[in-house]
Amino acid sequence: MTMQRSITTFSFALLASLASGIFLVVQAQQNPGFISIDCGAPNQYIEGEMNIKYETDEGFIDSGENMQVSSEVMYTYHQQYLKNLRSFPNGTMNCYTLRPDRGKNITYLIRAVFWYGNYDGKNRIPSFDLYIDVNYWTTVWFSTYNCEEIMYVSQVDDIQVCLVNTGNGVPFISALELRPLDGDGYRLGSGFLQPHWRYDIGLSSNSSIRYPDDVYDRIWQGENYNVWNKLNATSAIDLFVNNNAYKVPGKVLRTAQRSMNASTPLKLQWSSITTNKWIVYFYFMEIESLTSGQQREFTISINDNQFTETVILEYLKPIVIVSTPVSGWNSTFSIESTNKSGYPPILNAVEFYTIGDLPNVPTAQDDVEAINAIKAKYHIKRESWQGDPCVPSNYTWDGLNCSYGNPPRIIWMKLSSSNLTGEIVSSLSHLSTMEYLDLSNNQLTGAIPETLARLQNLRYLNLSGNNLIGSVPEALKKRALDNTLIMSLTGNANLCQADPCPQKKKPKKILVLVVTPVSGFLIVLFGALAIVWLIKQKRIAGKSSYLSCTLHLTTILTLLFLWYSAMSFLR
Ligand SMILES: *[C@@H]1O[C@H](CO)[C@@H](O)[C@H](O)[C@H]1NC(C)=O
Ligand SMILES: *[C@@H]1O[C@H](CO)[C@@H](O)[C@H](O)[C@H]1NC(C)=O
Ligand SMILES: *[C@@H]1O[C@H](CO)[C@@H](O)[C@H](O)[C@H]1NC(C)=O
Ligand SMILES: *[C@@H]1O[C@H](CO)[C@@H](O)[C@H](O)[C@H]1NC(C)=O
Ligand SMILES: *[C@@H]1O[C@H](CO)[C@@H](O)[C@H](O)[C@H]1NC(C)=O
Ligand SMILES: *[C@@H]1O[C@H](CO)[C@@H](O)[C@H](O)[C@H]1NC(C)=O
Ligand SMILES: *[C@@H]1O[C@H](CO)[C@@H](O)[C@H](O)[C@H]1NC(C)=O
Ligand SMILES: *[C@@H]1O[C@H](CO)[C@@H](O)[C@H](O)[C@H]1NC(C)=O
Ligand SMILES: *[C@@H]1O[C@H](CO)[C@@H](O)[C@H](O)[C@H]1NC(C)=O
Ligand SMILES: *[C@@H]1O[C@H](CO)[C@@H](O)[C@H](O)[C@H]1NC(C)=O
Ligand SMILES: *[C@@H]1O[C@H](CO)[C@@H](O)[C@H](O)[C@H]1NC(C)=O
């Protein structure tokens, strides 16, 4: 009885621990679609406060080296992902490749975090450029901690985040995060949005709000303007009012500031020396229960009415106002009470975005796939072979040249003396606009694939100095004869270049039993005949001994083997 109970208890404990194990797994995966990389980290871990799994660089980038911030400043910030970083002393452009589950044509929030922390002991903070796919994103330059963010819609499934050395120190990165956003709230017709500030107005300015309160993991910085008044929320507010289109957390909306009195507008001025195109997102929610029948009503205006809109608030109902693009190096918005509302204007949260352009078009997708297959097949490890092969045009992969139409294409490839081994990969024939192909002085083996003749524009082909065998495809030979193709095949001892190729005798091979369908069939046939014969023999011999039977069998098998050998030889 006691025994049974203890077993039951044990199974319950086991079940419970299993269940909690499962629960943990589920917990860690409850942020589907997130990619979180702690650059330079030795191993992955679950970040405790947010319950987000941070991975190492593995599988996202090959280049660079893991470093740790100086031990003297290690505890300046509490975030684990700021303690390590990955630095890129080699190569001009080093790229992370992100493969979000949801693929292309989704808006992603991508955040790159940098904290120098004197990791190299030089006390000299570098500056470098960031690229998103083939386009310039921003220049990273900072005094301490820096966080660059972008709202980006990718046209292809992979997203590349590249650090570009501009000669102002060694690029590095501390963390890289990607979050998928639902809907088109942050999508532009073309270009991308780059947040300048994202303020939770009324929250104390030394704190911020992010995941899991914000399901998109936007980071809302607390901001209190002392010329404005803090609003007193009159009732407990549901902290999970996430059902607005922009999923702004209730925690962000429940604080707000207002102007001194109804005749004073809320005014804010901002400026930038690098950009003058802006979009402002205003978030409002009435959190004071006003005298019944009363409502706050006010008009928003940006830069001398480049954008205006009038808003009426209802108690606890979130309202999002997205401005049209406005321009100005020095910009101002004002939120002014209309005369019939006796109440001062309020603001719960606000985001300022600059608009970035995406002028560069990536290389044709077929070419990108083909060149990546070639890179993988031959294990090509060149510093410049990262990111897009052709774009930006001053960072084209070493050994390639491209045509810069729409889209850019690879037209020229020189991989001579590059230690390429194995057969000529068929992906080469997918680079359909290729004009010049030099694979000389490698250790390429096998035959020249017929598919190379599919390269219609090919006018130079150098395969000299390899170990190619077989004959040259007729179509290529013909083009060489027509003088539409310069072809060099010298230094391939076993490649037949005569026309027609003499039918060479096959070198005598040591006999190997290869069961081809025909010989297999013959063996079975002979075996069957032998058995029939044996049975017959047995009947004739009557009580003939086991020994003689075995002898017969051996003879038959020997004959069979000899016959098979002879056949193989003749073939
Ligand atoms: C940078 O290049 C040097 C010389 O080729 C090499 O020794 C070093 O390991 C490289 N470092 C990284 C991080 O790739
Ligand atoms: C991309 O998504 C938008 C909606 O988010 C849709 O209107 C558009 O057709 C999509 N484009 C492609 C190429 O799928
Ligand atoms: C933020 O500042 C307030 C006072 O300004 C202080 O009471 C509070 O402890 C600070 N919080 C943190 C996390 O530093
Ligand atoms: C909010 O409440 C505090 C304390 O109750 C008060 O001092 C302050 O004036 C109130 N603020 C507003 C805007 O009513
Ligand atoms: C509103 O506030 C402003 C600035 O504090 C002040 O100059 C003005 O007299 C106030 N108006 C009223 C009606 O209280
Ligand atoms: C913007 O404002 C600053 C001072 O606030 C001023 O120095 C600068 O000239 C202004 N720029 C423009 C374009 O008006
Ligand atoms: C609002 O009232 C002020 C004076 O109180 C007046 O000058 C202004 O013209 C009024 N505005 C509107 C739109 O009625
Ligand atoms: C590449 O081109 C961009 C834009 O034209 C320029 O800003 C950058 O300095 C160039 N980089 C190099 C290494 O030439
Ligand atoms: C292609 O680029 C190489 C450098 O990578 C250069 O030497 C060569 O002249 C270029 N060829 C053409 C046809 O542009
Ligand atoms: C060529 O490749 C072989 C094997 O992949 C490697 O051992 C060798 O070091 C390489 N040589 C050069 C010059 O890269
Ligand atoms: C082919 O390549 C070899 C070695 O790189 C070179 O010596 C030869 O001149 C090239 N042939 C042609 C026709 O360019």
Side-chain angles (χ1 to χ4, degrees):
M1 211 37 195
T2 28
M3 178 100 143
Q4 201 153 15
R5 194 178 295 147
S6 75
I7 287 173
T8 322
T9 320
F10 173 73
S11 341
F12 264 109
L14 191 69
L15 262 180
S17 64
L18 270 177
S20 66
I22 291 162
F23 183 62
L24 273 181
V25 169
V26 170
Q27 283 263 301
Q29 289 175 345
Q30 74 188 0
N31 36 42
F34 280 26
I35 297 176
S36 313
I37 308 169
D38 179 350
C39 309
N43 27 47
Q44 63 174 51
Y45 59 88
I46 308 259
E47 202 280 337
E49 268 174 54
M50 294 186 286
N51 198 13
I52 288 179
K53 186 171 119 190
Y54 278 79
E55 298 174 76
T56 65
D57 302 271
E58 204 179 324
F60 298 105
I61 194 163
D62 295 326
S63 54
E65 55 192 334
N66 291 356
M67 304 296 282
Q68 213 171 54
V69 298
S70 152
S71 55
E72 288 152 36
V73 294
M74 171 103 33
Y75 298 100
T76 310
Y77 300 103
H78 75 279
Q79 288 94 336
Q80 176 63 30
Y81 56 69
L82 291 178
K83 302 196 190 320
N84 308 293
L85 53 87
R86 197 160 174 99
S87 101
F88 303 94
N90 296 347
T92 312
M93 189 173 214
N94 288 277
C95 299
Y96 278 81
T97 303
L98 308 176
R99 293 200 175 86
D101 297 341
R102 288 169 65 186
K104 63 185 167 199
N105 202 25
I106 297 285
T107 312
Y108 293 105
L109 182 164
I110 299 169
R111 184 161 43 224
V113 184
F114 308 89
W115 185 46
Y116 171 65
N118 196 22
Y119 78 90
D120 55 2
K122 291 180 180 157
N123 248 320
R124 209 176 323 122
I125 297 173
S127 166
F128 45 90
D129 284 354
L130 278 189
Y131 275 69
I132 183 89
D133 287 331
V134 295
N135 285 290
Y136 173 81
W137 167 0
T138 190
T139 298
V140 182
W141 54 277
F142 45 90
S143 48
T144 52
Y145 165 83
N146 191 325
C147 187
E148 295 295 340
E149 210 178 283
I150 192 171
M151 301 292 192
Y152 181 68
V153 180
S154 171
Q155 299 309 312
V156 290
D157 288 335
D158 291 354
I159 297 176
Q160 312 247 12
V161 175
C162 302
L163 295 95
V164 176
N165 189 328
T166 51
N168 301 302
V170 173
F172 74 89
I173 184 168
S174 305
L176 185 58
E177 302 168 334
L178 173 145
R179 316 289 185 230
L181 310 180
D182 298 322
D184 296 335
Y186 291 105
R187 184 190 284 244
L188 294 179
S190 67
F192 60 84
L193 289 173
Q194 202 177 336
H196 216 67
W197 297 291
R198 181 182 291 121
Y199 289 146
D200 176 0
I201 308 288
L203 184 71
S204 80
S205 56
N206 58 1
S207 58
S208 62
I209 289 174
R210 63 180 292 186
Y211 191 85
D213 294 308
D214 189 310
V215 291
Y216 294 152
D217 195 18
R218 286 161 294 193
I219 300 176
W220 300 88
Q221 184 57 49
E223 183 62 275
N224 264 294
Y225 293 101
N226 49 24
V227 292
W228 299 354
N229 281 6
K230 204 167 174 324
L231 238 73
N232 289 334
T234 48
S235 72
I237 289 169
D238 179 8
L239 293 186
F240 300 98
V241 205
N242 275 333
N243 54 358
N244 55 86
Y246 290 80
K247 299 202 173 157
V248 178
K251 233 181 184 172
V252 167
L253 292 176
R254 74 170 166 171
T255 57
Q257 282 192 292
R258 64 164 172 80
S259 67
M260 292 293 180
N261 53 42
S263 46
T264 313
L266 282 175
K267 267 194 173 168
L268 207 60
Q269 199 171 52
W270 72 99
S271 65
S272 164
I273 49 163
T274 52
T275 177
N276 70 342
K277 287 193 288 175
W278 303 89
I279 291 187
V280 187
Y281 288 64
F282 298 92
Y283 301 91
F284 303 102
M285 186 171 80
E286 181 59 78
I287 55 173
E288 271 183 351
S289 70
L290 306 179
T291 319
S292 92
Q294 299 286 316
Q295 278 179 316
R296 236 182 266 271
E297 182 179 323
F298 45 80
T299 301
I300 305 164
S301 143
I302 308 178
N303 288 357
D304 303 323
N305 297 344
Q306 281 188 40
F307 171 81
T308 60
E309 184 143 343
T310 297
V311 182
I312 301 173
L313 299 188
E314 281 174 48
Y315 188 53
L316 296 187
K317 198 171 160 205
I319 288 185
V320 183
I321 303 293
V322 183
S323 81
T324 49
V326 294
S327 61
W329 296 104
N330 290 337
S331 297
T332 314
F333 74 67
S334 79
I335 307 176
E336 206 161 344
S337 202
T338 60
N339 278 5
K340 66 181 166 191
S341 145
Y343 294 95
I346 65 165
L347 183 60
N348 304 63
V350 63
E351 291 178 285
F352 299 82
Y353 285 92
T354 64
I355 302 171
D357 293 326
L358 297 171
N360 295 338
V361 177
T363 304
Q365 205 52 29
D366 287 350
D367 284 10
V368 172
E369 278 164 22
I371 197 76
N372 278 322
I374 292 164
K375 178 184 167 189
K377 156 87 184 180
Y378 296 123
H379 309 289
I380 298 173
K381 290 204 163 63
R382 295 190 178 196
E383 276 172 6
S384 67
W385 282 46
Q386 296 200 45
D388 187 279
C390 300
V391 195
S393 58
N394 53 359
Y395 303 120
T396 302
W397 290 6
D398 167 37
L400 301 184
N401 290 14
C402 306
S403 65
Y404 289 95
N406 188 357
R409 305 292 309 259
I410 298 171
I411 57 168
W412 198 94
M413 181 155 104
K414 186 178 168 86
L415 288 178
S416 54
S417 308
S418 299
N419 206 13
L420 310 186
T421 57
E423 304 204 333
I424 296 180
V425 64
S426 65
S427 313
L428 271 172
S429 56
H430 300 155
L431 294 168
S432 57
T433 53
M434 184 79 84
E435 296 171 11
Y436 180 105
L437 181 56
D438 186 350
L439 300 176
S440 60
N441 291 338
N442 287 298
Q443 289 104 55
L444 294 170
T445 53
I448 302 174
E450 300 272 352
T451 52
L452 275 189
R454 279 196 217 146
L455 301 175
Q456 291 298 322
N457 301 335
L458 196 65
R459 49 180 177 76
Y460 180 93
L461 177 63
N462 196 339
L463 297 174
S464 63
N466 282 292
N467 303 316
L468 298 167
I469 58 164
S471 56
V472 183
E474 284 304 322
L476 288 177
K477 261 193 219 170
K478 186 164 174 298
R479 279 158 67 179
L481 278 175
D482 291 351
N483 285 326
T484 56
L485 176 69
I486 300 167
M487 184 160 65
S488 176
L489 302 170
T490 52
N492 287 285
N494 295 319
L495 184 70
C496 160
Q497 293 183 59
D499 197 20
C501 266
Q503 213 48 52
K504 255 205 269 176
K505 262 194 193 165
K506 285 241 170 112
K508 291 191 178 174
K509 288 180 280 183
I510 295 167
L511 286 177
V512 186
L513 268 171
V514 181
V515 183
T516 65
V518 175
S519 58
F521 169 74
L522 286 175
I523 285 174
V524 171
L525 188 71
F526 263 80
L529 284 175
I531 288 164
V532 171
W533 180 74
L534 257 181
I535 291 166
K536 239 180 177 173
Q537 283 292 98
K538 211 172 177 181
R539 255 198 221 131
I540 292 164
K543 281 180 190 164
S544 107
S545 73
Y546 222 6
L547 181 71
S548 75
C549 193
T550 319
L551 271 177
H552 283 309
L553 200 62
T554 318
T555 320
I556 288 161
L557 282 177
T558 312
L559 279 172
L560 207 69
F561 181 71
L562 282 177
W563 172 82
Y564 179 77
S565 311
M567 289 298 285
S568 311
F569 223 60
L570 284 175
R571 262 193 301 136

